[in-house]
């Protein structure tokens, strides 16, 4: 304890001596910086007045100032921006889970709009838009050089109206057009289903309803399987989940952790940092978990995947996530608008930042890409599934009298499960892989 006090005193004393020696130059430098700032603000006012007085057309002063504010914020990073009153209202509606639009989360990269992820069961998703797509034109008009807000504004329109977006996609030689019909976006935060003995929880977004929906859906599926003893594990599907509320990401992580840090945030000043820890209680009673992620998993999704991975609570499967490791704070402003400002970076429990790096899966599993046009596969030879006649189909074949009727039913059920698993591998290879992992873990569990 004495050593600590002495070290602190020594540091304070040295600081006092140094400040005495260089106080004069520091004060002069600060005064000079203030003068420079005031000169720049004066320059801004001068330019504003000249535009207002001499621009070839009459300008809207309010819009001009808003554009200047937004330009200042967007110059910082892709996620800071000014929210005009109507945009602020839209954002608040989105966090409640229902809004109008296409159903895509976007960012900006090298002047183009890049799709972070399409949201499940939305017009963009149904039209085939994929994470990683670049949108270059809207209704034939280039969006290169526009701000992200301006590009998004071009994509807005009346519900039921058509929009044509031009897309560049990795693996495709040429840009192509996609027709999308705008609609009301109703986001179901969590959907669930049972695959064999596995509960699959598909989390599409992190809004106000995410954790309550997750708890309700999980309990419902456990009951459907006849109790937790009949569940071999849980798949938490976070693919194409663009994120959302930090508070909900913490709650979802906490749902499967008993203790330990979930995430920490570090701002510009040390005192701005925060740590969020798990509380006692695991909704799954320690059952194995596989988390599915891909390039469309961002922000809050990465917090959950990173926390469960660092605590070795889950196996993370899929492809590398998007890599948005920053925290935005929305600050209401006078005039009913708001400012969205990047105020911190977040770190997983092991202390790693995923900013621009993403969460790397424990097991990399690519999802086979479906071709845009299936007609090219029409001439391929038929698969073995088309020639599935067996001994039992032959006329006059001998019956098997060595098994009971109950055993026969069990064999048929096992065969049906195997066929369902094979079909799932065709429909969703990554999910089928995750379920196979849980089957393997269950087979090795001595409790079974």
């Amino acid at each position: 304890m004495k050593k600590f006090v002495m070290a602190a005193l020594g540091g304070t004393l040295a600081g006092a001596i140094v400040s005495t020696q260089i106080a004069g130059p520091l004060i002069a430098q600060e005064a000079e910086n203030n003068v420079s700032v005031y000169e720049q603000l004066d320059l801004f006012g001068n330019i504003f007045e000249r535009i207002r007085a001499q621009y070839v057309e009459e300008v809207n002063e309010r819009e001009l100032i808003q554009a200047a504010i937004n330009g200042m914020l967007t110059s910082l990073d892709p996620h800071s921006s000014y929210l005009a009153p109507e945009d602020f209202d839209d954002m608040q509606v989105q966090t409640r889970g229902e809004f109008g639009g296409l159903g895509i989360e976007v960012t900006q990269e090298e002047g183009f709009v890049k799709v972070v992820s399409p949201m499940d069961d939305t017009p963009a998703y149904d039209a085939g838009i994929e994470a990683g797509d670049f949108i270059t034109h809207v209704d034939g008009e280039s969006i290169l050089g526009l701000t992200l807000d301006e590009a998004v504004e071009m994509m807005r329109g009346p519900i039921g109206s058509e929009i044509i977006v031009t897309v560049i996609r990795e693996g495709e030689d040429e840009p192509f057009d996609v027709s999308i019909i705008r609609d009301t976006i109703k986001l179901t935060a969590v959907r669930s289903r049972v695959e064999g003995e596995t509960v699959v929880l598909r989390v599409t977004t992190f809004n106000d309803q995410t954790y309550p929906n997750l708890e309700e859906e999980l309990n419902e599926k456990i009951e459907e399987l006849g109790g937790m003893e009949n569940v071999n594990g849980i798949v938490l599907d976070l693919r194409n989940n663009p994120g959302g509320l930090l508070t909900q990401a913490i709650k979802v992580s906490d749902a499967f952790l008993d203790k330990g840090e979930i995430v920490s945030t570090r701002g510009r000043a040390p005192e701005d940092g925060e740590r969020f820890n798990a509380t006692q209680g695991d909704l799954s009673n320690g059952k194995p978990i596989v988390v599915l992620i891909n390039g469309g998993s961002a922000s809050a999704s990465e917090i959950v995947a990173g926390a469960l991975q660092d605590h070795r609570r889950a196996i993370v499967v899929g492809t590398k996530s998007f890599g948005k490791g920053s925290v935005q704070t929305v600050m209401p402003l006078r005039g009913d608008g708001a400012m969205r400002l990047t105020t911190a970076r977040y770190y997983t429990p092991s202390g790693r930042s995923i900013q621009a790096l993403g969460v790397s899966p424990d097991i990399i599993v690519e999802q086979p890409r479906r071709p845009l046009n299936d007609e090219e596969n029409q001439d391929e030879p038929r698969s073995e599934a088309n020639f599935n006649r067996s001994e039992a189909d032959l006329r006059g074949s001998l019956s098997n009298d060595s098994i009971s009727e109950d055993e026969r039913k069990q064999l048929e059920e096992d065969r049906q499960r195997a066929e369902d698993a094979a079909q799932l591998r065709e429909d969703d290879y990554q999910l089928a892989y995750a379920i196979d992992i849980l089957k393997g873990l269950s087979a090795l569990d001595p409790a079974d």
Side-chain angles (χ1 to χ4, degrees):
M1 183 67 180
K2 286 182 181 176
K3 265 186 195 175
F4 176 80
V5 174
M6 288 299 292
L9 283 171
T12 305
L13 182 59
I17 293 169
V18 172
S19 6
T20 302
Q21 290 174 340
I22 63 171
L26 278 177
I27 292 170
Q29 185 180 353
E30 186 177 349
E32 185 180 336
N33 288 340
N34 286 338
V35 169
S36 176
V37 169
Y38 291 135
E39 285 177 350
Q40 294 297 313
L41 289 173
D42 187 55
L43 175 63
F44 173 81
N46 184 269
I47 292 171
F48 175 75
E49 288 299 331
R50 290 197 180 192
I51 292 172
R52 189 168 64 166
Q54 298 177 14
Y55 186 65
V56 65
E57 294 176 354
E58 190 173 342
V59 296
N60 183 312
E61 296 168 359
R62 181 171 174 270
E63 290 179 0
L64 201 60
I65 291 172
Q66 285 184 358
I69 294 169
N70 195 47
M72 179 168 55
L73 287 164
T74 55
S75 71
L76 300 172
D77 65 77
H79 307 294
S80 296
S81 63
Y82 172 71
L83 298 170
E86 57 274 17
D87 296 327
F88 187 32
D89 288 342
D90 286 346
M91 189 209 73
Q92 291 173 303
V93 169
Q94 288 183 34
T95 60
R96 293 195 293 269
E98 182 174 331
F99 55 97
L102 304 181
I104 50 174
E105 179 80 9
V106 293
T107 187
Q108 198 160 38
E109 190 172 299
E110 297 180 2
F112 292 109
V113 171
K114 182 178 182 179
V115 177
V116 175
S117 67
M119 301 170 188
D120 286 5
D121 300 327
T122 61
Y125 180 90
D126 293 339
I129 296 294
E130 296 182 4
D133 285 349
F134 285 91
I135 297 174
T136 63
H137 294 72
V138 173
D139 289 330
E141 187 176 344
S142 173
I143 58 175
L144 184 63
L146 298 182
T147 67
L148 185 61
D149 286 342
E150 288 170 339
V152 169
E153 188 61 35
M154 285 183 66
M155 289 187 269
R156 287 178 175 158
I159 290 171
S161 61
E162 182 186 28
I163 178 176
I164 306 292
V165 295
T166 304
V167 171
I168 293 177
R169 177 176 296 167
E170 186 179 354
E172 300 295 330
D173 295 333
E174 299 289 336
F176 56 92
D177 289 339
V178 178
S179 170
I180 307 174
I181 305 298
R182 298 178 179 96
D183 201 355
T184 299
I185 310 301
K186 294 182 179 179
L187 291 181
T188 303
V190 182
R191 291 198 299 273
S192 65
R193 71 186 208 247
V194 168
E195 291 286 348
E197 298 173 330
T198 302
V199 176
V200 180
L201 297 171
R202 169 75 182 125
V203 183
T204 60
T205 187
F206 287 88
N207 62 25
D208 289 336
Q209 300 305 311
T210 301
Y211 176 75
N213 285 173
L214 181 136
E215 184 177 22
E216 181 182 352
E217 293 289 330
L218 178 58
N219 289 336
E220 183 181 301
K221 295 307 172 189
I222 291 170
E223 186 177 343
E224 183 179 322
L225 283 169
M228 188 63 82
E229 64 274 10
N230 297 321
V231 177
N232 70 1
I234 294 166
V235 174
L236 190 62
D237 187 353
L238 301 177
R239 291 173 298 174
N240 293 331
N241 182 322
L245 300 176
L246 174 64
T247 52
Q248 290 293 311
I250 292 166
K251 285 183 177 181
V252 169
S253 302
D254 194 5
F256 303 109
L257 293 171
D258 270 324
K259 60 182 179 179
E261 184 179 301
I262 293 171
V263 67
S264 63
T265 62
R266 302 177 202 171
R268 182 172 172 177
E271 62 269 19
D272 292 336
E274 286 187 275
R275 292 183 184 274
F276 301 91
N277 296 312
T279 56
Q280 187 70 29
D282 177 351
L283 292 183
S284 65
N285 291 344
K287 290 288 183 177
I289 299 173
V290 173
V291 175
L292 278 176
I293 60 171
N294 64 4
S297 307
S299 191
S301 300
E302 295 172 293
I303 290 174
V304 175
L308 297 182
Q309 184 182 54
D310 280 3
H311 283 288
R312 300 183 181 276
R313 181 63 188 89
I315 299 171
V316 179
V317 172
T319 55
K320 184 171 72 69
S321 63
F322 185 75
K324 181 182 176 292
S326 60
V327 179
Q328 283 67 50
T329 303
V330 177
M331 308 172 186
L333 302 172
R334 283 183 299 179
D336 298 327
M339 172 173 65
R340 182 167 47 207
L341 186 67
T342 300
T343 52
R345 288 182 173 89
Y346 68 75
Y347 295 80
T348 67
S350 64
R352 59 183 168 137
S353 168
I354 61 162
Q355 176 60 29
L357 296 176
V359 173
S360 296
D362 299 306
I363 303 173
I364 296 175
V365 180
E366 298 277 355
Q367 184 83 308
R369 185 183 292 276
R370 294 183 183 273
L372 288 173
N373 191 345
D374 284 328
E375 291 177 5
E376 59 194 60
N377 298 321
Q378 287 182 354
D379 295 331
E380 290 185 3
R382 289 181 294 168
S383 67
E384 188 178 340
N386 294 308
F387 301 95
N388 58 359
R389 285 172 60 82
S390 68
E391 169 73 14
D393 297 314
L394 299 179
R395 184 179 300 170
S397 62
L398 297 174
S399 62
N400 188 326
D401 58 3
S402 65
I403 60 174
S404 67
E405 186 61 28
D406 287 343
E407 288 173 327
R408 187 186 301 279
K409 285 182 180 178
Q410 184 62 48
L411 281 173
E412 289 174 356
E413 288 174 6
D414 291 343
R415 184 182 297 118
Q416 185 59 50
R417 276 197 291 270
E419 289 175 359
D420 291 343
Q423 182 59 49
L424 184 60
R425 274 188 283 277
E426 287 287 327
D427 297 339
D428 191 338
Y429 181 75
Q430 288 175 323
L431 177 58
Y433 197 105
I435 291 170
D436 284 345
I437 289 173
L438 291 175
K439 285 179 182 176
L441 291 173
S442 177
L444 293 173
D445 189 348
D448 293 340

